[in-house]
Amino acid sequence: MILTQRSIILLAFFAQFMSDFSILKASGFLLLLGLSIYITMDALIQLYKVLKKGKPNPERVGDWGARSKLVLVNVFGQKKMLRNPAGYGHLIIFYGFIFVTVVSQEVFIRAFFPDFSFKFLGPVYYGLLFGEDILSIGVIIAIIIGLWRRYIQKPIRFKDDLAHSKGLNRDATIILIAVGLHMIFGMLLESIEIATNTHPLPEAAIVSNALSKMWTGDVHVLGEFVWWAHAATVWVFMIYIFGTNVRVPKNYPSKHFHILSAAINIFFGNLKPKGRLSLIDFEDESLEIYGVNDIKDLKWDQMLDLYSCTGCGRCQELCPAYLNDQPLSPKALILNMRDQLLETATIWKNDPGSDAEMERPLITGVVPTETLWSCTTCLACTVACPVMIEHVDKIVDMRRYQSMMEADFPSGIQNVFDGIEVNSNPWNLPKSDRDIWADGLDLKRMKDHPDTELLFYVGCAGSFDEHAKKVSTDLVKILKTAGIDFAILGKEEKCTGDPARRMGNEYLAVEMMSQNVELLNSYNFKEVITFCAHCYNNLANELPDFGGHYRVYHAVDYMAKLLDSGKIKVDTSKPLNITYHDACYLGRHNDKYKAPRAILSHFKGVNLVEMEMNKDKALCCGGGGGRVFYEQEAGTDINKARVEMAVKTDSDVIGVSCPYCTVMLEDGIKNMNADIEVLDLVEIIASRLLE
Ligand code: SF4
Ligand code: SF4
C-alpha cells in the first residue's frame, strides 16, 4: 500500500493521540493482542476438531522422549532445512523471529511501565539484545535473498504447475514483507529509545546504536508511530496466518500456518523405519474399505501432514517423476489434498455432526490415477520434507484402494499379482525353476541343514533375472572364499511381497509376508544376507510386523565387513572409472550410503566420481514402487535421465547394489546406446578376489 501524505499525517495524529492517552493506548494494544490470541486459539481448536474426524493411529502416540528429540533436532536444530544452502536463510529467519518476539515483549511492556526491562536475566539479557539486533539484519538480508530467489532465480521447487490453488508466491511475499517490516520497525524503535536515553542496555544493540545517531530533535511522535507499526506487523502477521486458514477455509490458506502446525506435525512424526509401510488390519470386520478414496478415510496424522505443508517444494525438486515431466508433483499432491480437506472441513464446520463426503472422490477428483502410478516410492520427497510430511504412505493408501477395491491399475500389473500368487515371483515364471541358477554350485538347502548360521536370501531377481543370477553366483563365490557356512532356501524361497505391497495389493503382500515368516521361523539361522535392496528392506523393516525378527545384512555391509576383517583378499590395483548409483531402498529407505563407498575406496585403482544427484538426493532409477513391471506413457524416462547423469561423470561403469536398478539402468543404456556398463558391487569384488 502506498502511503499518501494525508494518511501519514493521520497516522502521526493517531500515534500522538494514543501516546497522550495512555489508557487508550493500553486498551488498543490489549484489544489487538486479545484478538490475535483469540484467532490463534480458534485456529488451534478448529484444527483439533478436523483432526478428530481422522482415523486413529496408535503408532503416533507414546514414546514422548523420542518425539521431543524429533522437535529438538528438526525444529530447533532445523536439521532437514540445512540439507540445502537456502536452509541457512530459514535458520536465520527462524531464530531472528524468536529473538525479536522475546525482545518485543519487553518493548511493548515498556510502553506502559517505562522502567520495565528483562535486565534481571543478567548476561542472558545482553545475549538477547545482541542476538536480536544482529539477527534482525540477518533476517532482512535473508528475506531479500528469498524474494530474489522466488522472483528472479525461480528454482524448480517454486513451480506450481500441478497445484490446483495458485498464489503460493503471493502468500510468501506478504509474509516475508510483514516479517521484514517487523524487523525494520523493531530496530528503528530501539534506535529511537537509544536516542532518547530510554533504552536499558544500548551497548548490546550494536546496529540500533549506530542507527540512533541519525535521530536529532524531538522524535517523540515518530517513536509512537514506530511503536504502533512494530506492534501492528505482528498482529497483521498473526491474523493473516491464522485467520485465513482453518477458520475460513475457502480462502487460500497461508503457507505460514506451518509455524503452528509444523512443530506439532514433527512431534507426531513417524518413529518407525522409513522403509516400512503401515498395516491394514484384515481381521477387523468393521473395515468397509481398504485403502483411501475419501479425505475422511485418512488417519489424523495424515490430515495433520496436509495442514503442515509450507509449499516449499523441496520434495518436488527431487521427485524423479516430476523432473521427467510425468504427472506427479509431491508438493502438488499434498496441496491439492489439503484443498480437499479444507473444503470437507467447511462441511463439517457448518454441520458439526456430519460425516458428509465431498461429492468429488479423492482419486480422479483430486489425484489423477496417472499421478498415483507415476510414483516410484523412492522416498526422495519424504526424506527432503523439512516438516516430516509423508507422501508415499498416502500414495500407497490410494493405490490400495485402486488395487483391492477397484482392481484398477496399469496393464502389466495383473501379471505381477498373478505371478506372485501362483508362482511366487513377479515375472510369473515357473516356481520350480527358482534355484536352477544354483545348479552345479553345490549349495546347501536350509531344509536339509536347518541350523546353518547364515541364510542367503536370493530374491526373485537373483533367481530369475539373467544379470542378477550372475550376481547370485558371484556372491556365492565370495562367501565360499571367505569360508562362510551358509545355505539357501532353494525352491522353498518365495517373493517377499514387496512389489505387490508397493502396488497396493496389501492382501497379497500380507499373505506372502506371513508365509515367509512361518518358513523362516522354522529354521535356526542367526543371520540373513541378501543383495537385493527391496528384499533387504522387507526382511529388515517389514517382517518384524509379522513376527519375523532377524539380523539382516545387505551384501554391501557384509562385504565391507569381510574386506575390513581380511576374510577376503582382493586385487586392489586394477584400474576402474566408476560412478555409484544409490538404490532408493538401500539409501533413503535405510540410510546405507557409507558401505558401498567404503568398498570402492578399498580398491586403490578405483576412481569414484559422484553423479550430480547422489546419496540422499540421488535420482531414482525409475523402477521402484513396482514401476519396473509397467510402462509409464507420460513424460520422459527416468532411467535415461539417470544414465545421462552417469555418462556425464566419464565413468566406464555404474556401480549398483540392487538388481532392479541394474534392470532399469541397463534398459536406459540400451535405449540410449550409451557407452557405459552396469556392475553390481558384488561382481566388482568377485572379479578381483584373490583365492
Ligand atoms: S516417492 Fe519419489 S516418485 Fe514418489 S512422489 Fe516421492 S519423490 Fe516422487
Ligand atoms: S510436502 Fe514438505 S517438502 Fe513438499 S512442499 Fe510441502 S513442506 Fe515442502
Side-chain angles (χ1 to χ4, degrees):
M1 185 175 58
I2 298 166
L3 288 177
T4 60
Q5 201 181 5
R6 181 182 293 184
S7 58
I8 291 172
I9 293 168
L10 273 174
L11 278 171
F13 178 75
F14 172 73
Q16 178 69 47
F17 177 77
M18 294 305 260
S19 74
D20 287 347
F21 297 89
S22 61
I23 185 79
L24 282 177
K25 185 175 179 179
S27 315
F29 176 76
L30 290 175
L31 190 74
L32 288 171
L33 181 67
L35 184 66
S36 48
I37 290 174
Y38 165 76
I39 284 174
T40 310
M41 294 310 294
D42 191 45
L44 270 173
I45 291 166
Q46 296 302 331
L47 174 63
Y48 174 72
K49 283 184 180 169
V50 172
L51 299 187
K52 258 181 66 183
K53 293 275 189 181
K55 302 271 181 257
N57 186 357
E59 287 179 6
R60 296 305 171 98
V61 285
D63 221 341
W64 306 117
R67 298 195 174 283
S68 307
K69 196 173 160 202
L70 280 182
V71 173
L72 274 181
V73 172
N74 291 299
V75 178
F76 294 102
Q78 302 261 301
K79 186 177 173 207
K80 286 202 168 196
M81 289 301 297
L82 300 181
R83 281 164 43 100
N84 297 310
Y88 288 91
H90 188 273
L91 182 79
I92 290 170
I93 294 177
F94 176 79
Y95 276 105
F97 200 74
I98 289 179
F99 272 68
V100 169
T101 303
V102 174
V103 174
S104 293
Q105 306 319 307
E106 184 197 43
V107 175
F108 293 147
I109 296 170
R110 208 156 45 236
F112 309 108
F113 305 99
D115 295 331
F116 179 82
S117 86
F118 289 145
K119 255 187 170 168
F120 57 85
L121 294 174
V124 175
Y125 182 56
Y126 184 95
L128 258 179
L129 285 182
F130 180 78
E132 177 247 4
D133 202 51
I134 297 293
L135 282 169
S136 294
I137 289 289
V139 170
I140 291 163
I141 294 170
I143 286 172
I144 293 168
I145 294 173
L147 290 172
W148 173 75
R149 276 175 62 74
R150 205 165 271 279
Y151 288 104
I152 312 284
Q153 199 185 34
K154 295 184 183 169
I156 198 163
R157 70 184 175 93
F158 291 142
K159 273 180 84 176
D160 283 338
D161 50 337
L162 296 181
H164 300 165
S165 302
K166 305 297 171 196
L168 278 175
N169 270 337
R170 186 202 61 203
D171 182 43
T173 308
I174 291 171
I175 290 302
L176 286 176
I177 290 175
V179 173
L181 286 176
H182 186 61
M183 300 290 154
I184 290 169
F185 287 130
M187 280 195 302
L188 288 179
L189 187 58
E190 283 199 62
S191 69
I192 291 170
E193 284 192 325
I194 293 169
T196 53
N197 293 321
T198 53
H199 193 284
L201 200 56
E203 61 271 28
I206 299 171
V207 183
S208 303
N209 212 336
L211 286 176
S212 69
K213 308 284 183 284
M214 66 185 176
W215 307 125
T216 52
D218 184 2
V219 286
H220 178 69
V221 172
L222 180 68
E224 286 300 322
F225 171 72
V226 173
W227 188 92
W228 278 104
H230 183 54
T233 42
V234 174
W235 298 317
V236 167
F237 183 84
M238 291 182 76
I239 292 166
Y240 177 76
I241 289 172
F242 302 130
T244 57
N245 200 297
V246 194
R247 296 177 64 254
V248 196
K250 287 273 182 193
N251 286 5
Y252 183 80
S254 166
K255 78 191 214 82
H256 285 81
F257 188 75
H258 79 270
I259 65 167
L260 195 73
S261 56
I264 306 173
N265 198 47
I266 289 170
F267 183 73
F268 288 110
N270 181 24
L271 292 174
K272 299 272 184 187
K274 282 178 288 179
R276 162 196 178 267
L277 288 177
S278 62
L279 300 168
I280 291 179
D281 183 3
F282 288 107
E283 305 288 311
D284 181 354
E285 289 178 1
S286 68
L287 274 187
E288 287 172 7
I289 63 153
Y290 299 134
V292 166
N293 186 32
D294 190 276
I295 210 79
K296 72 180 170 53
D297 299 331
L298 293 176
K299 298 184 195 107
W300 67 267
D301 56 292
Q302 293 178 313
M303 291 182 176
L304 182 58
D305 264 0
L306 304 183
Y307 272 109
S308 307
C309 180
T310 70
C312 69
R314 284 177 171 79
C315 52
Q316 179 170 284
E317 73 182 350
L318 293 174
C319 174
Y322 187 78
L323 293 176
N324 285 283
D325 298 324
Q326 295 175 12
L328 163 64
S329 149
K331 171 171 96 166
L333 174 94
I334 298 297
L335 292 176
N336 295 344
M337 287 177 74
R338 176 166 72 182
D339 285 352
Q340 174 88 344
L341 175 59
L342 291 172
E343 285 188 44
T344 311
T346 310
I347 298 177
W348 292 337
K349 191 167 189 280
N350 295 337
D351 182 5
S354 151
D355 257 342
E357 296 181 11
M358 291 287 298
E359 279 174 22
R360 193 171 60 219
L362 202 50
I363 303 169
T364 66
V366 179
V367 183
T369 48
E370 314 84 70
T371 296
L372 291 182
W373 298 106
S374 293
C375 179
T376 68
T377 67
C378 73
L379 221 59
C381 46
T382 304
V383 168
C385 181
V387 295
M388 293 187 73
I389 289 169
E390 291 172 291
H391 313 69
V392 174
D393 74 327
K394 294 170 191 65
I395 289 171
V396 170
D397 272 344
M398 287 185 269
R399 283 186 178 187
R400 283 173 174 174
Y401 185 87
Q402 289 296 90
S403 289
M404 292 188 286
M405 304 301 294
E406 300 287 327
D408 183 3
F409 32 69
S411 62
I413 289 185
Q414 188 60 54
N415 187 50
V416 176
F417 291 161
D418 291 345
I420 293 174
E421 196 170 352
V422 178
N423 279 309
S424 208
N425 71 80
W427 290 282
N428 210 354
L429 294 166
K431 60 180 164 198
S432 52
D433 292 354
R434 184 171 268 273
D435 60 351
I436 288 181
W437 70 273
D439 283 354
L441 293 178
D442 189 23
L443 297 186
K444 289 196 327 189
R445 302 297 191 267
M446 242 337 146
K447 71 175 167 34
D448 304 321
H449 303 271
D451 295 326
T452 310
E453 294 220 343
L454 179 69
L455 166 67
F456 171 21
Y457 197 96
V458 183
C460 298
S463 303
F464 293 102
D465 175 79
E466 281 314 311
H467 190 148
K469 282 196 280 187
K470 152 109 179 5
V471 181
S472 299
T473 311
D474 279 351
L475 186 54
V476 164
K477 187 175 159 193
I478 293 169
L479 294 174
K480 283 191 169 178
T481 307
I484 310 283
D485 184 28
F486 69 97
I488 60 171
L489 290 165
K491 289 190 190 357
E492 282 191 313
E493 191 183 88
K494 292 185 166 73
C495 174
T496 57
D498 165 82
R501 199 164 202 209
R502 265 71 202 171
M503 292 193 280
N505 194 339
E506 182 69 1
Y507 192 82
L508 177 57
V510 167
E511 193 69 26
M512 301 311 296
M513 289 187 282
S514 306
Q515 287 178 20
N516 277 337
V517 167
E518 195 179 327
L519 175 69
L520 296 179
N521 284 356
S522 68
Y523 299 127
N524 304 316
F525 59 84
K526 298 219 163 43
E527 297 174 340
V528 190
I529 180 173
T530 177
F531 69 87
C532 172
H534 296 260
C535 293
Y536 174 82
N537 185 61
N538 175 271
L539 292 161
N541 298 327
E542 300 197 315
L543 290 196
D545 282 331
F546 298 85
H549 301 273
Y550 317 110
R551 190 182 305 152
V552 189
Y553 287 94
H554 187 274
V556 290
D557 279 327
Y558 204 89
M559 291 188 303
K561 222 170 60 151
L562 292 180
L563 285 167
D564 279 351
S565 63
K567 284 200 172 166
I568 51 173
K569 302 259 180 286
V570 284
D571 173 2
T572 65
S573 61
K574 254 191 184 172
L576 180 65
N577 287 323
I578 190 169
T579 185
Y580 179 71
H581 165 78
D582 289 278
C584 306
Y585 276 72
L586 196 60
R588 276 185 291 266
H589 285 66
N590 287 289
D591 295 318
K592 293 195 180 297
Y593 305 109
K594 281 191 190 147
R597 290 169 175 82
I599 288 174
L600 292 172
S601 69
H602 207 86
F603 297 92
K604 291 186 184 65
V606 166
N607 173 34
L608 170 66
V609 183
E610 296 285 3
M611 281 182 258
E612 67 183 79
M613 294 172 80
N614 59 65
K615 298 180 190 155
D616 59 348
K617 293 179 185 158
L619 188 80
C620 174
C621 69
R627 283 198 50 181
V628 68
F629 301 109
Y630 62 89
E631 295 293 330
Q632 170 60 263
E633 300 297 331
T636 51
D637 293 334
I638 298 170
N639 55 349
K640 285 196 205 160
R642 192 55 169 163
V643 169
E644 239 168 62
M645 285 182 196
V647 168
K648 276 190 197 155
T649 64
D650 279 334
S651 299
D652 301 315
V653 166
I654 308 175
V656 294
S657 304
C658 173
Y660 287 116
C661 298
T662 306
V663 169
M664 293 304 293
L665 295 174
E666 285 189 333
D667 183 59
I669 290 170
K670 202 169 102 200
N671 288 330
M672 295 164 70
N673 213 4
D675 186 19
I676 197 163
E677 171 189 19
V678 182
L679 286 178
D680 196 291
L681 297 197
V682 170
E683 294 176 279
I684 293 173
I685 293 185
S687 67
R688 286 161 167 74
L689 268 184
L690 299 172
E691 302 294 330

